Amino acid sequence: MATDVTAQNIDTLFLEQRRYPPPPDFASQANAKPEIYNQSLEDFWAGEARNRISWYQPFDKVLEWEPPYAKWFIGGKLNVAYNCVDRHVEQGHGSKVAFHWEGEPENDTRTITFADLQADVVRFANVLKKMGVKRDTHVGIYMGMVPELPTAMLACARIGAPFTVVFGGFSADSLSGRMNDMECEFLITQDEGWRRGSRVPLKANCDAAMDKSPTVKQCLVVRRTGGDVAMKEGRDVWYHDLAQDASTDPGSCPCEEMDAESLLYLLYTSGTTAKPKGIVHTTAGYLTGVATTHHYIFDIKPDSVYWCAADIGWVTGHSYIVFGPLCNGTTGVMYEGTPDYPDKDRWWGIIERYKVDVLYTAPTAIRTHMKWGPEYAQKHDLSSLRLLGTVGEPINPEAWVWYRDNIGGGRTPVVDTWWQTETGMILITPLPGITTLKPGSATRPFPGVDPAVYDEAGNEVGPGQGGYLVLRKPWPAMLRGIYGDHERYVQTYWSKYKDVYFVGDGARIDEDGDFWLLGRVDDVMNVSAHRISTIEVESALVDHPKVAEAAVCGRSDPQTGQAIVAFVTLKGGDPGSPEMAKELRNHVGTRIGKIASPANIVFTPELPKTRSGKIMRRLLRDVAENRPLGDTTTLADATVVDEISRRAKEDAGKDEA
Ligand code: PRX
C-alpha cells in the first residue's frame, strides 16, 4: 500500500529506454552549441535581444521582476512589423520568399516574398488607418489560414493597434465573448473559408457576433471564396474596395515606435469550462523569446523552408508561423485546409513540392497519420526533411518513433517542445545537435528557464518521482497577466506556491535531468491510492502494434477509488473484439504493471478532441461515469460512439479550447 506521502505524488510506471544521440553531421552544423547553457539568464537574453531585434531606442534594463509580473528590456523602443518585414527588405532580402501559401483547393497557390509582404502590410495598414484604426484601437481578427491573416496581424502591429485572433472554427458566441472582453472596436474577417471542400461562413458568424458585441463599430471583409455575404451599410466594408487606392509605399505608413512592454496581442484560452482568459502578450520580450527559440530549436538556416502546420488561431501559429519565423527572415509554408483534402497525402505532397526541411506539428496529427498508415507518406519524396518537431500534448513514444521513422526517414531528430499559450514561447525542449533524445520526453529547459517538480507542500521531488511542474524564474515571452483580471491571474498561476508559476501539468525529472510531461494534473487518476498519469497508460496502449490512439480516464469504483477506462482506436479501421481487449489489458499489465491495467476498454473509431487537437478526457470521464460499460465495449455498441460524438459536439458548442 502506498503511504500518504507517495499518494500525493504521481507514480512513475512507464520507462522508455530508447535513446537517440544527435547525429554527428547534424551536431557539427547546429545553431545551438553546448556553451549556450553556460550564460546567466540576463546575459543570454540581453545578447539575443541585441542581435536579433532592431531597436529604435536600446533598452536600458534587461529585467524587472516583481512577482507575479515581469518586465523585459525596459526603456527599449521597437516595432514588431518592422522587425518581421521591413528590415529584411532594407537588408536586401526583398526577393526572398516569406510564405509559400497553398490554398485548400488544389493549384490555388501564392508565393509571397518579403517585398510582397511589406507592400501587403503597408496597404492593409493604410486601409485600417483610413477606417479610423489608430495606435491603441482594439482589433478582433476572425479568419482562416489565408495570407491576409498574418498581413492583418502585422498591419495592426505596424500601427500599434493591439489585436486578438479568434480561431476561425469558433462559434459566433465565442467570437462575441472575446470581442466584449477586449472591447474591440474593429473586426477583420473574410467572406468564407475553405475546410475539407466546404465553406465556413466566417462573415455570417461575425454578423451574429456583432449583434451581441456593441463595442464593434466596423467590419472589414477580405474576399476569399467569392461567396455571397450580407454587407451592412455603414458598418461593413470590402477590403478590396479600399485597397485599390491604398499606398504600398512604406513611407506612407511609418511603423509606430512602441515601448518594449506595450500590448501586442491577447489570446484567449479556456482549458476548463470557465470563461476564456485573455492572455496578455507584450512586445519586446515576446518577440525576442519567439525569435530566439525558433532559431535554436528548429536549427533554422538562411535557406530553410520551414513549415509549422498549426493554425494561426492558436498560440503555436502566432509564435511559430508569424512572429518568430518572420523576425528571423525565414521562408515558411502556410496551408489553408485539412490534411485529408482531397486525399490523405496532402501534407506530404506539400513537403515534396516546397522541399520543406523542418516540420512542426502536433501529436494528434501524427497519431492521425499513423491511423491512416504510412503508405500516404511513402508516395512522396520527403528527403528534404532535416528536423521534426511536436507540440500540444505529451507524445506517446510509439508515435514519436513512427514520426521519426516514417516521416523523418529514420534520420531526423525530433524535438518534443513543451510550452503553453501563457508561456508564449517554447520552454522545455531538446536542442537538436546537443541533446540525446528520448521518445516521450521534452528533455531540457531552454537556456535560462528554471522549471522544477514540486509535491503538494512545495518541496522538490527526487529524480523519477512525479509531481507538479512549476517555473521559478521569469522568461521574456511570459504572459503579463490575464486581461482585466488581476485576481484570476494570481489565483490561477501564483497561489498554489509563493512566487512560483504553477503550470497545471504533472511532470517528472529522470536520473539524467530530463523532463517527462505527464498531462494536466486534473486528469491524474487515483487507483488504490496510486496516482497514475493518463499519458503513461495511453503510451503503454499505443505501444501495442495494433493501436493507433488511446485515451484513458478514471471512473469511480467502490473498491479502488477509481478504475481506469480506456478508449482505444485501432489501426486501419479494425473494430476491436473481446479478445483484443484482453490482449491490450495484458499488454498494459506487462508493460507497466497490473495496477494500471484498464478495467474497461471501449473501442471507438475516433476520440473526442478540442479544436486544437487535444483529447477531451473530461468528456470521456462523463461518458464513463454516466453509463454502464462492459469489460469490453466494441464498436458494435454504437450508442457509446454516438454518445461520445454527441457530447463532443455539445462541448464544442460550449467552446472548449
Ligand atoms: O498540458 C500541456 C500541453 O498543452 C498545454 C498548453 O496548451 P495550449 O495553451 O493550448 O498551448 C499549446 C501549444 C503551446 C500544456 O500545459 N502541452 C503542450 N506541449 C506539450 C504538452 N504536453 C506535453 N508535451 C508537450 N510537448
Side-chain angles (χ1 to χ4, degrees), residues 113-154:
T113 63
F114 277 95
D116 297 334
L117 187 61
Q118 183 182 41
D120 290 346
V121 171
V122 170
R123 187 191 294 111
F124 211 107
N126 274 323
V127 168
L128 292 177
K129 275 178 142 174
K130 190 157 184 195
M131 293 182 74
V133 175
K134 302 187 288 288
R135 191 171 170 136
D136 298 332
T137 305
H138 289 190
V139 177
I141 304 178
Y142 181 66
M143 300 177 87
M145 287 285 284
V146 293
E148 289 82 358
L149 171 53
T151 301
M153 295 160 79
L154 292 162

Side-chain angles (χ1 to χ4, degrees), residues 263 265-267 278-282 477-484:
L263 175 61
Y265 70 81
L266 300 184
L267 188 58
I279 302 300
V280 176
H281 284 296
T282 59
M478 77 187 281
L479 74 170
R480 305 300 201 260
I482 295 175
Y483 186 69

Side-chain angles (χ1 to χ4, degrees), residues 349-411:
I350 291 175
I351 290 180
E352 180 170 26
R353 189 147 50 253
Y354 302 110
K355 299 194 168 38
V356 170
D357 67 338
V358 183
L359 173 67
Y360 189 33
T361 185
T364 179
I366 298 164
R367 293 188 310 253
T368 300
H369 288 293
M370 235 171 112
K371 188 166 73 181
W372 290 338
E375 55 272 24
Y376 297 99
Q378 283 158 6
K379 285 192 209 157
H380 296 275
D381 176 5
L382 305 182
S383 60
S384 56
L385 286 169
R386 282 192 309 125
L387 179 65
L388 303 174
T390 82
V391 59
E393 283 184 295
I395 184 164
N396 316 109
E398 277 321 301
W400 190 104
V401 172
W402 187 95
Y403 188 34
R404 180 178 180 277
D405 286 352
N406 291 286
I407 308 305
R411 299 171 273 111

